[in-house]
Amino acid sequence: MSWGSELWDQFDNLEKHTQWGIEVLEKYIKFVKERAEIEISYAKQLRNLSKKYQPKKNSKEEEENKYSSCKAFQSTLHEMNDYAGQHEVISENMSSQITAELSRYVQEVKQERKSHFHDGRKIQQHIETCWKQLEASKRRFERDCKEADRAQQYFERMDADLNVTKADVEKARQQAQLRHQMAEDSKGDYSVSLQKFNHEQHEHYYTQIPNIFQKLQEMEEKRIVRIGESIKTYAEIDRQVIPIIGKCLDGITKAAEGIDQQQDSRLVIEAFKSGFEPPGDVEFEDYTQPMKRTISDTSLTTSKSDGKSEAKPGGKSRGKLWPFIKKNKLSLKLGTSPEDFSNLPPEQRRKKLQQKVDELNKDLQKELDQRDALTKMKDVYSKNPQMGDAASVDQKLPEIEQNIEKLRLEAQKFEGWLAEVEGRLPTRNDNSRRQSEVYEAQNNSTVNNNCAQDRESSPDGSYTEDQSQETEVKVTPTEFDDEFDDEEPLPTIGTCKALYPFEGQNEGTIAVEEGEVLSVIEEDKGDGWTRIRRNEDEEGYVPTSYVEVYLDRNAKVHQKETSFLACLFSSWDRG
C-alpha cells in the first residue's frame, strides 16, 4: 500500500497526520523524562532514608551495632543505598538512551517533514501555475474567436451595403482576416498550453506527488519503528538492573538469616554483667523471743543496715530495694566519671579498662612506628643531604619520644587498675574473697560519705559511685543500731498532691494518679525527684514537677537531726 497512489489527493490530511505523529513522539519523550525524574527523586529519598537511620559516630547507636540484629539492619540500610543506586542507573540510562536520542530524532523528523512538504507545495504551486496559463490561453483563444466572428459579420454587412465605399469594404475584409489569424494563433497557443498542462498534471499526480508521499510514508513508518524500539529499550533498562536489585534483596535476606539470637544474648551478658555475686538467703527473724538478726555471709545490704538486725516490738519491717539502684547524684549532675571507672561494677569496669588499655597500646604503636620511620628518614638524609635536612627530623623526634613516654605511663596506670580489678573479680563459690577483698577495703574510706548521701536514691536503677552502698562488713550489733534501724519507715515530712498522672515504670519509682494525695518522706535534693509514700507500705520516687508539695517544717528538722545522729553513732561504732 502506497500513500502516493492511494492518497494522491490528501495532501492536507497527510500534513496533519505527520504533525500528529511528531506530537505523539514528543509526548512519549516527555513521559520518559518524567519517569527518569521520578526515579532520581526516589533514589534520592531512599539515600536520605538510609542516611537518616545510619548510626551517628561516637554515639550509643554505634555501640549497639555489635548485636547481630543491629548488624542486619545496618546491612539492610547499605543494601538500600545500593538499591537506590540502581534507580539512579535507570534514570541515567533513560535520559541518555531514550530522551536524548529521541529528542535528536524528533528534530531530524521535523526537518525532514518540513523539507518534504516544502517540495510538495512547490509542486502544487507549479501545477497551479500551469493551470492558470492554460486557462489564460483558453480565454484568449475564446476571445479572439469571438472577435474574428464579429469582424467577419461586420465585413459581410459592409460588403452587402451598396452605400459603403470599396475602400471601407476592403478595410473591413482586412480586419476580418487579421482577427481570423489572431484566432488561429490563439488556438495554437491554447493547444500547446493544454498539452503542456496535461503533461505536467500527469507528472504531478503520477510521479512527483507519489514520490513525496512515499518519502513521507517512509518517514512516518520509521518514526513508528523508532518509538517501538524505544519502548523496548524502556523495558530493557528496567530489566538490566533487576539482577543487581535481586542481589540487593538477597543481601538483605542473608543479613536477616545471619541474625543470631544466642550471640546477641551473650553480648547482653557481656555488656551488663556486673561481676557481683547474688545475695544469699535472708534468715528467719523470730519475733517470739528477743534475738538479734545475724547477717548472711552473702548479703549485699549497705553498711548502714549491716549491724541493725534486732527487730523492734510492734515495728513494721519493710523489704529493702535492690542495693544497686542508688546513684551518686553529684556525678550525674556534673556529667563526669572517675578516670579509673570506679563508678562501674567490677565486670563493666574491667571491660572499660581493657578497652582503654587497648586504645593506649594502639596509639603507642602508632607513635613507635612514626619514630622508626623518622629515624630511617634521618639516616637517609644524613647519607644523602640532597634529599633533605636531617636537622628538621631531629626537631620532631623529641616530641614523639615525649608522646611515647606519656602513653606508656598512661598504659601502665590503666594496666595496674586492670590487674587490680581482675584480681578482685569474684568466683561463683568464693564469697569470702568477694567480701574481704572487694568490699571491706572500700567501706572504711567511704562510710562518712555514705552518711552525707543518706537516702539519695535515684529511680533509674543504675549503678552508684558511692562504694559504701556496695560493701559488706560484719559488724557486731549495738544498742544504737536498734534506735536507728534502717528497716523502720522514714518519717513523714509533709504531704503532696499529684498534679499529673505518672506511670512509674522504672525501678524505684511509684505510679500516681492525678489529684491523689500522698505523704512526702524525702524532699527534692536538686535532682528533680521527690520520695513519697502511700498507705505506709508502698513508697518510691515521682518527678517533683508532677506534684505540689506541702512540707511540715518541724518534721523536716526532726528528719535532719535523726540522720545526723545516725551518721554520728555509725562513725563511733566503726571507730
Side-chain angles (χ1 to χ4, degrees), residues 18 30 39 46 73 113 123-124 141 145 173 179 208 213 225 262 267 339 357 364 388 419 457 465 473 480 486 494 557:
T18 52
K30 185 178 180 182
E39 291 291 340
L46 285 179
F73 179 50
R113 174 181 175 276
I123 294 173
Q124 284 186 330
F141 172 59
C145 288
R173 184 181 64 79
R179 293 297 179 182
Q208 294 174 343
F213 283 8
V225 171
Q262 296 180 353
L267 291 175
E339 185 181 12
V357 169
L364 179 60
S457 300
E465 267 186 54
V473 179
F480 299 111
D486 195 39
V557 172

Side-chain angles (χ1 to χ4, degrees), residues 18 89 174 176 213 332 337 365 411 427 484 514 526 536 570:
T18 52
V89 170
Q174 291 178 357
F213 283 8
L332 286 178
S337 60
Q365 187 61 42
T427 59
F484 301 97
E514 182 178 356
E536 298 298 331
S570 178

